[in-house]
Amino acid sequence: MGKKILALAAALIGIVCSVSFGQSDFDRKLQSLYKNTVPLIRSEALLSEIAKSNVIILDTRSAEEFKVSHLSGALLLDYDSFKADDVRNISKNSRIVVYCSVGYRSERIGEMLIKLGFKDVSNLYGGIFDWINNGHVIVNTAGLNTDSVHTYNREWSKWVNKGVKIY
């Protein structure tokens, strides 16, 4: 009986460690990608802002990625084809949060928005991957909740722990 309890305890410790190592590995990956040129916002803080303000959420992934799923209310601002004219109808004083898969492309777009004179721009930490890993709702183009997320490619899909991975 004692050996079974020890084996169970060891297994539980292994599971807990693998989960925490997974997040710390993801955090290390993000730190290697970010230049820290755009302020970061965590998913819980963004949820709070959405509930109490008129935050504009810009998805900077491709149209194909956006079609699979995105944050509710997000507007598509494709990284590969971005031009200043795409944001001409947004006030420079608007509260803007940009995101992509993990935050790299959105940080580049955030830099451009700041250079264009936008005053309140943040980048969603960990992008849609961190958002879904934390159990937050994503929607498809019909506006329906979905658990599918475009993971960019097979290699990047390892950072998504919840939902159905599409690439």
Side-chain angles (χ1 to χ4, degrees):
M1 178 99 163
K3 289 182 182 179
K4 287 183 180 179
I5 291 173
L6 286 175
L8 179 60
L12 288 173
I13 290 170
I15 290 169
V16 168
C17 287
S18 69
V19 169
S20 65
F21 289 140
Q23 181 61 45
S24 64
D25 290 342
F26 185 57
D27 290 336
R28 278 193 294 280
K29 182 64 173 176
L30 295 178
Q31 292 312 311
S32 75
L33 296 172
Y34 292 167
K35 294 180 355 187
N36 298 308
T37 52
V38 178
L40 293 167
I41 184 170
R42 298 285 182 147
S43 60
E44 295 302 324
L46 178 54
L47 278 174
S48 178
E49 282 195 33
I50 290 169
K52 63 182 179 183
S53 71
N54 274 345
V55 61
I56 296 172
I57 303 170
L58 301 175
D59 185 321
T60 65
R61 300 172 303 148
S62 70
E64 179 183 342
E65 292 169 280
F66 184 85
K67 184 178 178 183
V68 171
S69 63
H70 52 272
L71 276 63
S72 183
L75 304 172
L76 177 61
L77 188 67
D78 191 318
Y79 173 81
D80 288 328
S81 63
F82 175 76
K83 49 193 175 314
D85 197 47
D86 295 338
V87 293
R88 72 182 175 285
N89 294 326
I90 299 175
S91 166
K92 303 274 172 128
N93 295 315
S94 295
R95 172 67 175 126
I96 298 173
V97 174
V98 292
Y99 76 92
C100 61
S101 296
V102 296
Y104 176 82
R105 291 176 285 178
S106 52
E107 186 178 53
R108 302 293 79 73
I109 294 290
E111 292 168 348
M112 289 184 244
L113 292 173
I114 291 168
K115 284 180 184 173
L116 289 170
F118 289 89
K119 296 172 180 37
D120 193 5
V121 179
S122 294
N123 186 22
L124 179 60
Y125 180 84
I128 198 170
F129 289 8
D130 193 65
W131 184 266
I132 194 156
N133 286 343
N134 281 296
H136 303 308
V137 173
I138 53 175
V139 298
N140 59 25
T141 51
L144 303 173
N145 291 2
T146 184
D147 62 352
S148 296
V149 64
H150 198 294
T151 61
Y152 190 68
N153 62 31
R154 182 182 299 270
E155 180 181 335
W156 284 95
S157 70
K158 70 182 176 186
W159 302 114
V160 176
N161 301 322
K162 294 184 180 176
V164 177
K165 302 171 185 182
I166 309 290
Y167 47 90

